[in-house]
Amino acid sequence: ARAGRKKNMSVQKLRLGGYKSLDQNLVGANRIPPGTEPKNRYMNVLPNPRSRVRLNKIGSDETSIYINANYVTAFDGTPG
């Protein structure tokens, strides 16, 4: 904007109606492999079982297959 001119700005109210209807897809602690609880920083932030990163098992350690991570895609659907 040029000096001396004011911009006409307006603030719109945030509408959350559409977001409230989205599935929150909450995951219970019973959906992660047994014995992996210490690998989570927070017990209320867990990976989604449908897109969870699964690691290769190391020896007989059943907990080695788990990491608290999910695969994600970019806004255009490509791997991110």
Side-chain angles (χ1 to χ4, degrees):
R2 293 184 185 156
R5 283 178 101 176
K6 290 185 178 182
K7 277 190 169 183
N8 183 11
M9 297 179 67
S10 64
V11 177
Q12 294 183 6
K13 185 176 180 178
L14 184 61
R15 296 184 182 126
L16 299 175
Y19 294 106
K20 289 180 182 179
S21 65
L22 292 174
D23 180 18
Q24 291 185 14
N25 202 18
L26 299 176
V27 177
N30 63 333
R31 298 292 305 270
I32 63 171
T36 58
E37 295 83 4
K39 295 185 176 192
N40 296 304
R41 182 178 293 176
Y42 307 106
M43 280 309 297
N44 63 343
V45 181
L46 300 173
N48 182 320
R50 290 184 284 176
S51 59
R52 181 171 69 83
V53 174
R54 286 167 172 78
L55 304 175
N56 292 326
K57 186 175 169 184
I58 299 173
S60 62
D61 183 4
E62 295 292 332
T63 66
S64 65
I65 63 168
Y66 179 79
I67 185 171
N68 189 336
N70 283 96
Y71 291 104
V72 296
T73 55
F75 70 95
D76 61 358
T78 59

